Amino acid sequence: MNIYNDYLNTIKQAIQTDRLYENYSKKERKSLVKNSMSYQTFSASENGILPSLQDLMIQVPERKLNQRLGLHPDFAHLKGTENIEDSAIVSMFIDIKGSTNLFKKYSNPTIVIIQNTIQRAAIHTCLIFGGYVHRLQGDGAFVYFGGKEINLETASKNALKAATIFTYFVKNDLKELFLEQGIEKIFTRIGIDLGYDEDVTWAMAGTGEISEVTTFSLHTSLASKMQSYAESNGIVIGENMVTESKISDDFYSTVASRTMNNADRYIFQIPEESFRYTQYDFRWDKYLKTLDFVVTDPYTGRISIKSKTLNNPTYLKPIAETNKPYLNK
């Protein structure tokens, strides 16, 4: 059983309903599909997290599921004030690419369900690992990890775990579903960086009700920029993430070593201050097999999430398919 199975089934149901009316005019199809679909599936569990993710959620006991968009609880008191605070945080940008291809095949109501389901899978995964969803961007998301009472190693590792699990879902299960429907090139790109206390200022941006409490930080900006350097279904991280997460050097390499362009080594430079900040490809497929809630079948090589609710583990697809780019490294 795949941990995202309920999310995949929601998408499958939407596609099947849409196809029932594919021979109708565009206007008629839209109306018929709209009247046939329901979001009832998302009320199946607390906070909309679907049952198939329960095995993953059980593995992470310290999580805060009750949240408001754009209001990290440690800094909510800054709303409506001119006060500022300095506090470290991990910033993650998740971008889903290629979803415009859906408009070639499906009506708008179907695309609403497909894109919302993918985005909710990302949101729910981040919530499970202690993320705070700050902003929704198209069908992607901007998420913070960490806070005043969370040490930087924990925040960094939680961000890497969330990004790893979600990227696996997009690269394997979601890709397979869309290929069955003749849709190609839907993938994710993720950028993650960490700013220290002296690098991050929290304050209200905007005015009145047209405002949010957000970070003013080079490293928040760099996380956004890093995702644009990621390859398809890739994750790019900053050197502060490497330092604080304490991951082995087996799990990262410079972006420049992939692109063969030395200009890509540093994501940001201030030459006159001798400041050069390195960006790295995160080898999430290798990292996945080291997570304490993941087990590998020694005979089949299949990866599974340890189950605390069932006798059998929750299997994912063979990881061997996901790490081919690194087999010779």
Side-chain angles (χ1 to χ4, degrees), residues 163-181:
T164 292
I165 295 296
F166 181 69
T167 301
Y168 185 96
F169 161 65
V170 174
K171 182 172 183 178
N172 292 276
D173 303 307
L174 193 63
K175 178 182 178 181
E176 182 177 285
L177 170 61
F178 282 144
L179 285 178
E180 289 174 356
Q181 307 302 322

Side-chain angles (χ1 to χ4, degrees), residues 145-205:
F145 288 82
K148 293 181 179 179
E149 304 301 323
I150 302 173
N151 68 61
L152 297 182
E153 181 177 357
T154 298
S156 299
K157 286 184 174 178
N158 283 346
L160 294 178
K161 290 173 184 177
T164 292
I165 295 296
F166 181 69
T167 301
Y168 185 96
F169 161 65
V170 174
K171 182 172 183 178
N172 292 276
D173 303 307
L174 193 63
K175 178 182 178 181
E176 182 177 285
L177 170 61
F178 282 144
L179 285 178
E180 289 174 356
Q181 307 302 322
I183 301 172
E184 299 180 4
K185 297 181 179 178
I186 291 183
F187 57 92
T188 187
R189 295 190 306 195
I190 297 177
I192 314 174
D193 201 19
L194 180 154
Y196 295 110
D197 288 347
E198 62 270 23
D199 301 319
V200 182
T201 297
W202 291 82
M204 189 183 80

Side-chain angles (χ1 to χ4, degrees), residues 106-123:
Y106 304 115
S107 60
N108 282 5
T110 302
I111 294 170
V112 168
I113 290 182
I114 293 174
Q115 291 188 341
N116 275 353
T117 302
I118 296 171
Q119 188 175 62
R120 288 169 183 177
I123 291 170

Side-chain angles (χ1 to χ4, degrees), residues 9-170:
N9 286 339
T10 298
I11 295 174
K12 288 179 182 178
Q13 182 180 355
I15 290 173
Q16 290 169 357
T17 301
D18 194 282
R19 286 192 164 182
L20 292 174
Y21 307 108
E22 60 186 354
N23 293 324
Y24 287 75
S25 69
K26 183 176 181 180
K27 183 177 181 179
E28 290 174 325
R29 185 183 188 185
K30 180 179 179 180
S31 177
L32 290 166
V33 170
K34 180 180 178 181
N35 292 333
S36 299
M37 292 186 173
S38 170
Y39 289 94
Q40 187 174 4
T41 307
F42 287 109
S43 63
S45 62
E46 182 183 6
N47 298 294
I49 295 179
L50 300 186
S52 61
L53 266 183
Q54 294 301 311
D55 281 335
L56 180 61
M57 186 163 65
I58 289 171
Q59 306 297 330
V60 189
E62 296 182 6
R63 55 186 179 273
K64 297 179 180 179
L65 301 179
N66 296 318
Q67 297 186 19
R68 291 176 58 190
L69 182 69
L71 206 62
H72 192 299
D74 288 355
F75 307 99
H77 61 279
L78 297 174
K79 180 79 170 179
T81 77
E82 298 298 325
N83 299 329
I84 63 174
E85 290 186 13
D86 294 340
S87 187
I89 203 73
V90 173
S91 300
M92 176 193 293
F93 281 83
I94 302 172
D95 191 22
I96 306 296
K97 308 296 292 185
S99 57
T100 52
N101 291 325
L102 297 172
F103 288 93
K104 298 177 182 179
K105 297 182 70 69
Y106 304 115
S107 60
N108 282 5
T110 302
I111 294 170
V112 168
I113 290 182
I114 293 174
Q115 291 188 341
N116 275 353
T117 302
I118 296 171
Q119 188 175 62
R120 288 169 183 177
I123 291 170
H124 294 161
T125 303
C126 290
L127 291 180
I128 288 171
F129 287 102
Y132 296 92
V133 181
H134 183 68
R135 188 179 302 136
L136 303 180
Q137 300 180 217
D139 48 4
F142 168 35
V143 187
Y144 290 125
F145 288 82
K148 293 181 179 179
E149 304 301 323
I150 302 173
N151 68 61
L152 297 182
E153 181 177 357
T154 298
S156 299
K157 286 184 174 178
N158 283 346
L160 294 178
K161 290 173 184 177
T164 292
I165 295 296
F166 181 69
T167 301
Y168 185 96
F169 161 65
V170 174

Side-chain angles (χ1 to χ4, degrees), residues 237-268:
I237 62 177
E239 62 180 76
N240 287 351
M241 285 291 296
V242 170
T243 300
E244 296 301 333
S245 65
K246 299 179 173 61
I247 55 175
S248 164
D249 56 12
D250 291 336
F251 301 134
Y252 62 90
S253 59
T254 63
V255 170
S257 66
R258 165 172 53 87
T259 65
M260 304 303 291
N261 182 353
N262 196 52
D264 293 335
R265 179 179 182 87
Y266 303 115
I267 187 71
F268 186 78

